[in-house]
């Protein structure tokens, strides 16, 4: 990469923030629910015994889970795989983003007893601090299942990860191309990261695109566009 290109990439996150400020847009404007508390996640692992080739070879959409809870370490690993920071200096993340505009947000809907030592509720992932922020307490898994056209695996899963988009973060730079292409390409990257991370953790997941947008928004309490609901549970029989 030549120096000019490198400089452009380095400046992009700052330029994005300034651009959004100029159009009077604040990401937190989109949140309807007020944060009720914070859960500091254990640091994610950045290495494992499971190769990426193996994960690619065996990955499948899994809709049938053990009735077992996840650990906080597994939740930490999953949200990191989705949008964790891997370059603190420039804020780059595990998934690529057009012009480093990062339009996606990550929510975790935790079922009652779904995660050891974590209260049931709806959490927002704060990627900078690697923290979960509790937005709503209570078990919303059934409501979410209904919003997903009664797909049972949503109700059965220990957690559901919901990926939403704030299109303006990308469209102010790239216009309509950001809306119809880039943001949707990005959620695909995030989905695949979660699939591969699940294999490495002995978990199973499936990406869900069939849901009532307004119902999912209402459950989360955000005015952002939900793009994927991803139920995750312990995979029956494991992967290895
Ligand atoms: C954009 C998209 C939307 C999807 N929506 C759903 C869905 O609503 N429900 C579901 O059970 N699976 C859904 N899937 C998963 C596909 O059914 C699955 O990927 C496909 O059957 C291939 O199986 P595999 O993932 O195991 O290779 C979706 C996949 C994609 C990429």
């Amino acid at each position: 990469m030549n120096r000019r290109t490198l400089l452009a990439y380095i400046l992009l996150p700052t330029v994005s923030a300034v651009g959004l400020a100029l159009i009077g847009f604040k990401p937190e404007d989109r949140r309807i629910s007020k944060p009720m508390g914070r859960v500091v996640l254990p640091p994610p692992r950045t290495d494992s015994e499971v190769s990426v080739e193996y994960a690619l070879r065996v990955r499948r959409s899994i809709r049938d889970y053990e009735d077992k809870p996840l650990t906080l370490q597994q939740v930490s690993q999953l949200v990191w795989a989705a949008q964790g920071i891997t370059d603190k200096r420039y804020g780059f993340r595990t998934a690529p983003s057009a012009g480093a505009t990062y339009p996606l947000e990550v929510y975790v809907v935790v079922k009652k007893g779904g995660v050891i030592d974590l209260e049931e509720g709806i959490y927002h992932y704060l990627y900078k601090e690697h923290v979960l922020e509790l937005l709503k307490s209570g078990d919303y898994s059934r409501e979410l299942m209904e919003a997903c056209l009664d797909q049972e695996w949503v109700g059965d899963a220990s957690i559901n990860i919901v990926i939403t988009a704030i299109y303006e973060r990308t469209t102010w730079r790239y216009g309509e191309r950001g809306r119809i292409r880039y943001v949707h390409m990005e959620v695909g990257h995030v989905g695949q990261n979660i699939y591969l991370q699940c294999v490495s953790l002995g978990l199973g997941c499936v990406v869900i695109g069939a849901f009532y947008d307004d119902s999912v928004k209402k459950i989360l309490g955000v005015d952002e566009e939900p793009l994927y609901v991803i139920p995750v549970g312990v995979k029956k029989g494991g992967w290895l």
Side-chain angles (χ1 to χ4, degrees):
M1 186 189 283
N2 67 37
R3 276 174 58 188
R4 269 178 65 184
T5 320
L6 181 65
L7 197 65
Y9 271 96
I10 290 169
L11 290 173
L12 278 176
T14 318
V15 172
S16 296
V18 172
L20 289 172
L22 285 176
I23 60 169
F25 176 76
K26 295 191 210 90
E28 61 273 22
D29 288 344
R30 298 309 192 92
R31 199 143 328 120
I32 294 154
S33 314
K34 291 246 180 309
M36 300 164 68
R38 288 174 154 226
V39 178
V40 178
L41 294 167
R45 291 185 59 166
T46 53
D47 201 359
S48 88
E49 302 291 301
V50 180
S51 70
V52 72
E53 292 82 3
Y54 182 79
L56 285 167
R57 181 162 72 78
V58 300
R59 178 213 67 83
R60 281 277 75 83
S61 291
I62 302 297
R63 300 176 180 82
D64 197 13
Y65 316 108
E66 297 272 12
D67 189 15
K68 282 187 187 158
L70 267 53
T71 63
L72 207 54
Q73 181 68 50
Q74 287 171 324
V75 174
S76 160
Q77 204 65 45
L78 289 165
V79 292
W80 175 80
Q83 280 292 282
I85 300 256
T86 45
D87 183 331
K88 280 204 175 136
R89 201 157 157 214
Y90 304 122
F92 296 149
R93 307 191 195 168
T94 48
S97 173
T101 52
Y102 298 112
L104 304 176
E105 294 291 323
V106 178
Y107 296 87
V108 186
V109 179
V110 178
K111 189 165 113 166
K112 187 171 171 52
V115 181
I116 298 166
D117 293 334
L118 188 65
E119 179 195 338
E120 62 271 24
I122 300 180
Y123 295 83
H124 178 223
Y125 177 51
L126 304 181
Y127 52 87
K128 277 188 196 149
E129 297 107 308
H130 195 60
V131 154
L132 288 180
E133 187 180 52
L134 179 64
L135 297 183
K136 285 168 114 178
S137 66
D139 187 339
Y140 288 87
S141 58
R142 190 142 198 104
E143 255 183 78
L144 190 62
M145 179 180 86
E146 285 161 15
C148 295
L149 286 64
D150 281 320
Q151 299 188 63
E152 283 166 35
W153 29 100
V154 175
D156 293 345
S158 303
I159 63 166
N160 281 269
I161 299 173
V162 186
I163 313 295
T164 68
I166 298 175
Y167 287 98
E168 290 87 340
R169 288 184 190 157
T170 304
T171 55
W172 81 269
R173 279 182 65 100
Y174 297 110
E176 200 46 20
R177 197 172 177 83
R179 180 176 297 275
I180 61 172
R181 293 196 181 202
Y182 295 167
V183 172
H184 302 146
M185 291 168 174
E186 289 188 30
V187 79
H189 293 300
V190 170
Q192 184 74 356
N193 281 5
I194 292 174
Y195 267 114
L196 299 180
Q197 182 67 78
C198 275
V199 173
S200 166
L201 296 173
L203 305 176
C205 72
V206 53
V207 292
I208 293 208
F211 49 76
Y212 299 111
D213 302 350
D214 286 344
S215 308
V216 175
K217 278 187 193 187
K218 204 170 153 207
I219 293 166
L220 295 180
V222 295
D223 187 18
E224 301 166 6
E225 286 308 315
L227 296 178
Y228 263 155
V229 173
I230 312 179
V232 183
V234 175
K235 185 183 179 294
K236 286 190 171 161
W239 290 101
L240 305 171

